[in-house]
Amino acid sequence: MGLDMIKNKINYFIFFFLLKNTCALAHIDENNFQMLTKQIIDLYVTQISNLYKNSTIFIKPSYNINSSLIQDSVFYVKDENKFIITITGELARQKMINQPALGIIICHEIGHILGGYPKQTSFHQSWSSVEGQADYFATNTCMKNINMIFWQDNLYNFDQEIIQKCEYHYQNLVDFIGCLRTASGIVSLQNYFNSKSLLFKPISLHNKDTHQVNKTLQKYPSNQCRIDTFWAGLFNEAKPKCWYKE
């Protein structure tokens, strides 16, 4: 059986699976939230420790936190050579959020540590990649390394364009399925952003933030720009100009 025939059979199976699960959305329970957070961060502990001279990592998964004062974040305590990574359950408790979407957010926090340049210009944050770079790292590097650890995905139905784009960019079958999984996380985050937005124009994979910055943003760009960045990272495209300036 040729590779194209195998891919076609897998495409059909996955499309049917996605369609079947579109109506089966449910929030991520606390047990899976804790497990997913630990699994992803554990994959990068050694790399972070080697890069930052035997630094330690303290993980704070806080599923039931409802305070706006506590958000997903990563801090570096220089005197103790320690990173504190906080992942809240705010997203995980939303019905439109699936495990790959949570994975992208966890990868974003890791991206502040390992994402590289461009970095924050503030002296106390100079170790950290800017927000847009952390988003790019999440889908360009991190999600590609962890695409085998998800175990109970609630995936979203895709149009044929997404399936064909993943098939074109990822010839290996495992990577192809990982591409669809990450894409389902991006769609999940897109839907979440839209649920919180008052903008008339919906955030979408089919729209683009056309604004071009004069210098690289240190803060978060627009949610549309973030979706553009996740998408660009997944397909190894150029960093969007809505936050990045060469």
Side-chain angles (χ1 to χ4, degrees), residues 185-203:
I186 298 172
V187 172
S188 174
L189 289 170
Q190 165 196 288
N191 293 342
Y192 174 75
F193 288 155
N194 278 324
S195 74
K196 300 294 183 181
S197 175
L198 298 176
L199 298 177
F200 177 75
K201 185 179 181 180
I203 297 162

Side-chain angles (χ1 to χ4, degrees), residues 21-230:
N21 282 274
T22 302
C23 299
L25 303 179
H27 72 276
I28 301 168
D29 64 31
E30 184 170 4
N31 182 60
N32 279 330
F33 168 79
Q34 301 276 2
M35 189 182 304
L36 186 61
T37 300
K38 186 176 186 305
Q39 279 190 309
I40 294 176
I41 294 176
D42 279 354
L43 288 174
Y44 285 96
V45 166
T46 299
Q47 185 177 349
I48 293 171
S49 178
N50 290 341
L51 184 63
Y52 286 90
K53 298 179 181 178
N54 298 316
S55 62
T56 58
I57 297 177
F58 180 66
I59 307 171
K60 292 175 62 178
S62 306
Y63 184 80
N64 292 308
I65 291 294
N66 291 308
S67 172
S68 61
L69 299 178
I70 301 177
Q71 300 177 337
D72 299 328
S73 61
V74 55
F75 292 100
Y76 180 52
V77 184
K78 187 174 182 179
D79 291 344
E80 301 177 29
N81 195 22
K82 176 173 70 176
F83 288 98
I84 300 174
I85 301 177
T86 299
I87 305 294
T88 72
E90 178 184 356
L91 278 176
R93 297 194 304 269
Q94 308 300 316
K95 286 187 177 181
M96 73 280 291
I97 291 296
N98 59 10
Q99 289 186 5
L102 178 60
I104 290 171
I105 296 305
I106 298 169
C107 281
H108 168 92
E109 299 306 335
I110 296 171
H112 279 299
I113 306 173
L114 297 177
Y117 291 93
K119 292 196 172 187
Q120 299 282 354
T121 56
S122 165
F123 175 76
H124 295 293
Q125 296 290 320
S126 60
W127 57 269
S128 173
S129 299
V130 299
E131 300 294 347
Q133 181 63 23
D135 280 344
Y136 191 82
F137 172 89
T139 55
N140 185 253
T141 302
C142 181
M143 286 295 289
K144 294 175 184 178
N145 290 335
I146 64 174
N147 65 23
M148 293 300 292
I149 74 169
F150 300 109
W151 56 93
Q152 289 180 353
D153 305 75
N154 285 318
L155 301 180
Y156 287 93
N157 184 20
F158 302 126
D159 57 36
Q160 191 63 28
E161 180 182 346
I162 296 178
I163 294 176
Q164 289 175 348
K165 188 161 186 175
C166 281
E167 185 175 20
Y168 177 80
H169 282 82
Y170 294 95
Q171 305 302 315
N172 179 281
L173 294 180
V174 172
D175 294 338
F176 166 68
I177 295 171
C179 175
L180 287 181
R181 180 171 285 115
T182 300
S184 81
I186 298 172
V187 172
S188 174
L189 289 170
Q190 165 196 288
N191 293 342
Y192 174 75
F193 288 155
N194 278 324
S195 74
K196 300 294 183 181
S197 175
L198 298 176
L199 298 177
F200 177 75
K201 185 179 181 180
I203 297 162
S204 170
L205 294 176
H206 303 292
N207 296 330
K208 295 294 180 184
D209 186 333
T210 57
H211 173 69
Q212 295 188 18
V213 296
N214 294 321
K215 62 180 181 179
T216 296
L217 284 183
Q218 300 286 299
K219 61 183 181 179
Y220 281 112
S222 71
N223 285 336
Q224 178 64 62
C225 185
R226 295 194 71 190
I227 293 298
D228 298 346
T229 303
F230 291 139

